[in-house]
Every structure is written in structure tokens, then in C-alpha cells.
Amino acid sequence: MNDVIDNIINIIKKKDIKIITIAESNHRSYTSHTFQFELAKKLYDQKLIDTFGSERLGVIDADIINWYLRNSKEIPKNIIKKLPFGGMGYSRIIDYLHTKDKDSFKIVGLEEDDYCHKALSQLSSNFDMVSPSFLDQIRRGVVIKKLKPITENDKRWYESLVSFRLDMREEFWLKQIQSVLEVRKTLFINGFHLGKNDPIGRWLKKNYKGK
């Protein structure tokens, strides 16, 4: 495994590649998830990649994870258990990054989020990623179509929840990737289907040719 990862790293350096995609990890394979983790770790350690996303890592999931990493260095286990998806095999990557300088990386949510009351109702009392009003609405279980977002981040969360309800998954993925790459210059994605006829794959190949 180490030799394979070293060869991949050499290719990335030689070609100055900025976007790394991995086909979906085998859900039940320890080796598959370990490969993903070891590659991500080496990409970060060698300063080749500083932005990390995953299939099933939602916008809300990632905001919660990043908030806890910035404010308490550790994510409460009861929160992680209740996040509906949280990314495939990303717990090891999160555990690794939480010891690093918080300004040296970002975990990004690129997917829709399920409406997870169990996780959202147990957020820290000083959680400030969204407005107190919007968070209170969610904690009270206000149905999605009646939620009233106030801030821009409220609107991001609302859009994610609505998209999940309407099953707009691939369109949402692509929109989030586009918005992330407007700000971040590198991206490591695990789990996306990037066949030549897939809209996400076609867009990446066209706009980041050779990268």
C-alpha cells in the first residue's frame, strides 16, 4: 500500500495536480478505508492538498465538524453518532486533522443533509454557525418548508435540507464543488462517481484539465 501511495504522490507532484478523486470506498473493507486515510494524510503532510470532502459528508455535517474542531478541538461522540452520514470513513481523517493548525485545512460538505433532529438538538449552547432563531426552529422540529432562514449560512443549511427532500443530489454535489473551488485551490474527494458521462466528472475534466 505504501508503495502505491508513494507512486501516486510522485505523479501528483510531477503533474502539479490539484484535485484528487477516489472511487467510492468499499463500505465494509478496512483496507479500502485505510488506503483513503493514508493517502489523504500524506497529501496533507506534504502540503499538496488542504481541502477534504467525502460522499455523504453534508454541508451541515461539515459545518458542525469544523465548528467543534475550531472551538473545542474534539467533536463529542454523541454528536458524531447522531450525524446522519458524516462522510464515508472520515472519522480517522477528522481525528488526524484535529491535532493540526486549524487554518491549514478545511473539511467541506458537498452533499445534501438529512433533517437530523437528534444531532442538531444536542449542539453546544454557544454554537454560532447559524442564527439562534434558525437553530431554535430546527431544534423545535419545524418542518422544512416552514423554516425561515435569516443569515447566509441559514440559507445554505436550508438549501441543503430542501435539496435532500427533493432528491436533487447530483445537481447539489456539482453546485457545492463549484462554490468550494471558487475559494479553495485544492480538493480531495472520496466517493464521487466520476465516469466520463457523469456531469460532475465532465465539469471537472473540462474546467481543471490536467489538474
Side-chain angles (χ1 to χ4, degrees):
M1 183 184 296
N2 288 337
D3 287 343
V4 173
I5 290 174
D6 286 341
N7 286 333
I8 292 172
I9 294 293
N10 288 335
I11 292 169
I12 290 167
K13 287 180 176 178
K14 184 177 180 180
K15 296 191 174 183
D16 194 28
I17 291 172
K18 302 298 184 186
I19 300 171
I20 314 298
T21 65
I22 295 186
E24 184 170 341
S25 299
N26 186 318
H27 292 211
R28 300 184 183 277
S29 168
Y30 177 82
T31 302
S32 177
H33 285 288
T34 298
F35 175 83
Q36 167 202 312
F37 168 64
E38 293 296 337
L39 177 57
K41 185 170 70 171
K42 199 151 195 175
L43 289 167
Y44 170 81
D45 287 343
Q46 299 202 18
K47 296 183 171 55
L48 298 170
I49 296 289
D50 62 8
T51 309
F52 302 88
S54 174
E55 182 169 353
R56 293 304 187 191
L57 182 64
V59 168
I60 294 172
D61 289 348
D63 277 355
I64 291 171
I65 289 166
N66 282 312
W67 188 88
Y68 275 104
L69 288 176
R70 284 199 312 273
N71 289 279
S72 65
K73 298 184 179 180
E74 188 173 351
I75 307 164
K77 297 301 181 186
N78 65 328
I79 294 289
I80 286 291
K81 287 179 181 177
K82 289 179 173 64
L83 290 177
F85 300 121
M88 297 193 311
Y90 249 55
S91 59
R92 276 188 281 180
I93 294 173
I94 292 166
D95 286 343
Y96 179 73
L97 290 174
H98 95 261
T99 65
K100 308 300 180 183
D101 176 9
K102 302 306 176 287
D103 294 326
S104 67
F105 69 88
K106 185 168 185 179
I107 296 169
V108 293
L110 303 172
E111 280 233 44
E112 314 154 309
D113 293 88
D114 197 356
Y115 197 4
C116 188
H117 301 286
K118 289 183 179 179
L120 298 174
S121 65
Q122 296 191 35
L123 291 172
S124 170
S125 59
N126 64 331
F127 185 83
D128 58 3
M129 288 295 298
V130 291
S131 69
S133 169
F134 189 66
L135 187 56
D136 180 62
Q137 293 171 58
I138 290 176
R139 282 174 165 157
R140 287 189 286 108
V142 175
V143 296
I144 293 172
K145 63 182 179 181
K146 292 187 177 181
L147 289 170
K148 296 179 180 179
I150 299 171
T151 67
E152 287 303 312
N153 223 35
D154 292 356
K155 293 172 185 176
R156 284 178 61 249
W157 282 34
Y158 180 74
E159 182 183 11
S160 178
L161 295 171
V162 169
S163 181
F164 186 91
R165 180 169 170 265
L166 298 177
D167 193 21
M168 299 164 56
R169 191 182 184 201
E170 290 208 358
E171 293 131 27
F172 192 83
W173 277 358
L174 181 54
K175 184 177 178 181
Q176 296 306 309
I177 290 172
Q178 290 168 337
S179 64
V180 164
L181 287 173
E182 286 178 2
V183 180
R184 310 293 295 185
K185 303 304 179 187
T186 68
L187 182 59
F188 174 91
I189 315 173
N190 170 57
F192 287 79
H193 304 280
L194 296 168
K196 63 182 180 180
N197 294 319
D198 182 271
I200 298 171
R202 287 201 307 267
W203 185 85
L204 284 170
K205 289 174 184 176
K206 178 182 176 182
N207 290 277
Y208 292 86
K209 189 174 181 179
K211 297 295 181 181

